[in-house]
Amino acid sequence: MFVNKPPMGFNTWNTFAENISDEMIRETADAMVEKGLLAAGYQYLVIDDCWSKRQRDPETDKIVPDEKKFPHGMKAVSDYVHSKGLKFGMYSCAGVRTCADYPGSFGHEYLDAATFAEYGCDFLKYDYCYKPKDADGALLYRKISMALRSCGRDILLSACNWGCDDVHKWIRSTGAGMYRSTGDITDSFVSFRDIFLSQLDNFVYSAPGCFNDIDMLTVGMRNRGNVAASGCTDEEYRTEFALWCMFSAPLMLGCDVRNIDDVTLKLVTNPHLIRINQDEEGRPPFVANCCGDTKAGIYVKVMSDNELAILFCNLADDDRRMWLPLENIGIPVSSGKALRLTDVYTGEDAGAHKEYLMYRVPAHDTRMFIAKIVNA
Ligand code: GLA
């Protein structure tokens, strides 16, 4: 499947881990529709690890769902998810066991792809735990990709090898639509900051066809659930979401969307932010700072319709005055051009500016704009 925009959806892992069930998935599907998340673009509902029994069926060798969690089987869950207009995602692993010690797909790739197709699956997250030492990781992703491509259903392959083995260099050639490039996120500022910074040089390896996945969002988790850590302030969650949007990362919500709070809902459905994330040109931003301070980075993304997105991102622990000479983005004073800005968070006109932009940005916070180039 050709993935032309960063996939958007919800994944069970961050909040629920093994506490997943038929009921919880149906309630989540309902919530995604009722709260307007599907309408905003969040279309995949993905069940992560822990959905199956601990062992394969001894007769058929198939992975089988845990009937305590999914008493009606996976097809019934998938049918319900589809009946809501959503797409259905599942999880397996390139190794012999999954990360939470359930059966992995190593040596069973074609059988498992056929099983996922029977379930009506549209998306497969494919992890990297318990990979036999001498197995070639790239070959394992090629194998599952070929198995999915011949299973009779269009299934998006979401690779998850945490950035090992220089994955950015070869993953696109396997046919995957997105690839995890980092270790697991937890619900804290330091976690998402370090994940983002670790990929700053690798976002050029993210484009229509295969996007760099910097993990499921913790936005709105409010320090509850499986990856709870120190939690984040509203400004920090906004910073996280802004970075994911700016760098065209897949937007997979990880909070309990059944109980999503108003601030979070407004943020994750902000039409300007989503437009920046989903821009059809899918270009990586460039760093536009004059002084190369990555903790207080200014990022500019060239978008379709001759627009630009501009992010002033203060990941430092103190307030910063952030200065962007327009010369740095290729608009010198001699051009006679200026930038007309829309504030992405408020939707308000933020004026026309020539020569430079300057904002005071509090610690851990951001300012973000969509800009048009106009005559000065
Ligand atoms: C790995 C992945 C996580 C999650 C867990 C499930 O740690 O990186 O995103 O899928 O496995 O066990």
Side-chain angles (χ1 to χ4, degrees), residues 165-368:
D165 309 331
D166 284 337
V167 63
H168 57 280
K169 293 189 180 160
W170 50 263
I171 193 66
R172 196 180 180 82
S173 68
T174 67
M178 57 194 261
Y179 70 101
R180 264 283 290 289
S181 54
T182 62
D184 290 11
I185 200 166
T186 60
D187 187 14
S188 77
F189 170 77
V190 170
S191 174
F192 80 72
R193 178 198 67 194
D194 291 351
I195 279 179
F196 163 71
L197 289 176
S198 79
Q199 290 305 299
L200 205 48
D201 292 334
N202 278 355
F203 285 110
V204 288
Y205 304 100
S206 186
C210 192
F211 291 93
N212 185 341
D213 172 12
I214 46 179
D215 212 346
M216 286 87 72
L217 291 153
T218 60
V219 172
M221 285 186 67
R222 309 235 173 254
N223 213 19
R224 285 189 299 261
N226 180 42
V227 303
S230 54
C232 293
T233 64
D234 283 348
E235 289 73 25
E236 289 167 345
Y237 281 139
R238 187 169 71 175
T239 296
E240 179 185 349
F241 195 67
L243 285 169
W244 264 235
C245 286
M246 190 68 176
F247 285 83
S248 314
L251 299 178
M252 302 301 288
L253 300 170
C255 65
D256 182 353
V257 297
R258 299 170 307 174
N259 303 312
I260 195 167
D261 61 84
D262 292 345
V263 174
T264 305
L265 187 59
K266 199 167 167 219
L267 175 66
V268 301
T269 58
N270 177 311
H272 303 295
L273 281 158
I274 297 207
R275 185 153 70 86
I276 292 167
N277 178 261
Q278 298 282 295
D279 186 70
E280 64 189 7
E281 294 194 13
R283 295 184 190 278
F286 56 87
V287 180
N289 297 38
C290 39
C291 44
D293 179 357
T294 48
K295 280 216 164 164
I298 304 173
Y299 306 105
V300 178
K301 173 174 172 164
V302 171
M303 300 203 297
S304 51
D305 294 330
N306 300 324
E307 288 183 320
L308 304 172
I310 306 177
L311 175 64
F312 293 79
C313 180
N314 185 6
L315 299 176
D317 296 329
D318 49 353
D319 295 5
R320 292 286 168 94
R321 242 167 35 139
M322 299 179 75
W323 181 59
L324 172 62
L326 299 191
E327 164 84 39
N328 286 13
I329 58 179
I331 310 176
V333 180
S334 60
S335 67
K337 303 289 179 184
L339 288 182
R340 174 160 285 287
L341 304 184
T342 302
D343 185 313
V344 160
Y345 299 142
T346 62
E348 281 165 14
D349 183 340
H353 304 257
K354 52 183 183 187
E355 215 171 315
Y356 66 89
L357 302 176
M358 184 154 67
Y359 296 96
R360 203 189 126 270
V361 185
H364 301 188
D365 205 352
T366 45
R367 295 293 308 265
M368 199 175 190

Side-chain angles (χ1 to χ4, degrees), residues 13 48-49 91 99-100 125 127 129 160 162 180 184 215-216:
W13 183 254
D48 206 282
D49 205 349
Y91 167 99
C99 299
K125 175 171 167 182
D127 222 329
C129 284
C160 179
W162 325 299
R180 264 283 290 289
D184 290 11
D215 212 346
M216 286 87 72

